[in-house]
Amino acid sequence: TLTLTLTLTLTLTLTEEKEEEKEKKPQERKSKPSATPSNASMNPPLTEISKDDLLAELARRKTLEDEAAYESEEDDDDEAAPPPAAYKPSDFPERVVIVGSGPAGLSAAVYAGRAGLRPVVVAPPLGGQLQGKGVEVENYPGLFNVTGPDVVALMRAQAVEFGATFEGSTVTAVDSTQRPIKVTLDTGSHIMTHTVIVATGADSVWLDVPGEYEHRGAGVSSCATCDGHLFRGMDVVVVGGGDSAMEDALVLSRTSKNVVVVVRRGELRASKVLADRAMEKENIRFIWNHTVEEIKGGIMTVEVEGEGEDDEPKREVKSVVIKEVTSGSTQEIPCNAVFVAIGHSPNTDFLSGQVALNPKHKGYLQVEGMSSVTSVEGIFAAGDSADANYRQAITSAGSGAMAALDVERYLSEHGLGNEEEEFERQMLAEMMSESSSEGGG
């Protein structure tokens, strides 16, 4: 780092000055003192330099380097600037690496940054469910009239403000058998760290049928709690037969006109309580032994207030084509939205064989009680990677804060501080000690 480089540079400079003065001493003894002030009186020997003078010189040199760097940037305005708060590898272990940059990861970065831990967030620049949510986020307190990417950008800026840095790579492996922990990236490089917060989330499992991808965020969703209100008084379709599908159907039945549940089998996999509750609803209808083959829609013209019709295209869902699994016959159901509820896949494969998984929820990390502590010392879990129940931006953000607090407590209990700063302090102390001893001799 700059501080370490300045320290080493100043050490070498002062050492050279000391050697020069040793060489001059024999000559000075033979010559008579001059009546005019000499350079030596203007530049005191090493033995007379105080600690305050040493720190002042460090600050002066840092200021000069900052000014030179600023002038260089001004001269090169046309060149591409590096990403803000980009991670710079260090010779010392990091105190915390956060894997994932959704609400859980960024919330952890804010809390860890405010605690002075200088967190490193490792994740590709694009990705995550909230990042890909183009519609407005309306169920996050204090935020409205903003989209998912807007929320992520605000969280990221706040994390940067408190000292977080970002590495835009993908983590491929974590080796917890050694200490510090080794985090390997898809670039082939690695980061050594004392702790890891896993905030990689869980991806929705999609149908992978024609029309599905094109209409995500425009009538196709995997979260009824998030997007159901957008289709108030309209006809919607839910795909799935498990607990998630029944929960989505029940949520939608409160606001939508009609809910059609398409089930691939002749029975539900959901718990009896949820299944009975859904079947009792008058506006929920089940279609058994069918699969979705295609989602149809089109582009509608959006009117912008004060400008008449806007030319910007916006898609909408109009119907869904389903097929009977035995006969192969198809039918088309008119609807305004399709909610896919066939499961989620946690992004935890890179921890395979190391961290214990939740026995009730495949792929999700197991944590201790209400904490973020996993089965491996120094590895913590936050957000949807450990939450198979709620999967909301706000609950993920809350668990990210919990993970950062757990990390801070772990580092304190194990006496793991900022090793780089400790090394610099030790160097300065040794320099001062050598200077004092030589001056006394």
Side-chain angles (χ1 to χ4, degrees), residues 104 129 198 201-202 344 346 348 358 361 363-367 381-397 399:
Q129 295 191 64
V198 182
H344 290 77
T348 57
N358 191 323
H361 302 284
Y364 289 88
L365 299 179
Q366 178 74 52
V367 294
D384 291 0
S385 62
D387 175 18
N389 296 318
Y390 300 106
R391 295 192 296 268
Q392 298 295 304
I394 190 168
T395 54
S396 292
S399 68

Side-chain angles (χ1 to χ4, degrees), residues 153 265 270 295 440:
R265 298 192 277 187
I295 297 172

Side-chain angles (χ1 to χ4, degrees), residues 378-429:
I379 296 182
F380 303 82
D384 291 0
S385 62
D387 175 18
N389 296 318
Y390 300 106
R391 295 192 296 268
Q392 298 295 304
I394 190 168
T395 54
S396 292
S399 68
M402 291 167 55
L405 294 171
D406 286 341
V407 162
E408 187 179 1
R409 186 178 299 110
Y410 172 87
L411 293 172
S412 298
E413 290 175 350
H414 289 78
L416 300 171
N418 189 327
E419 296 177 41
E420 186 172 358
E421 289 183 356
E422 291 172 3
F423 178 72
E424 292 172 2
R425 283 196 296 268
Q426 183 179 357
M427 284 194 61
L428 285 172

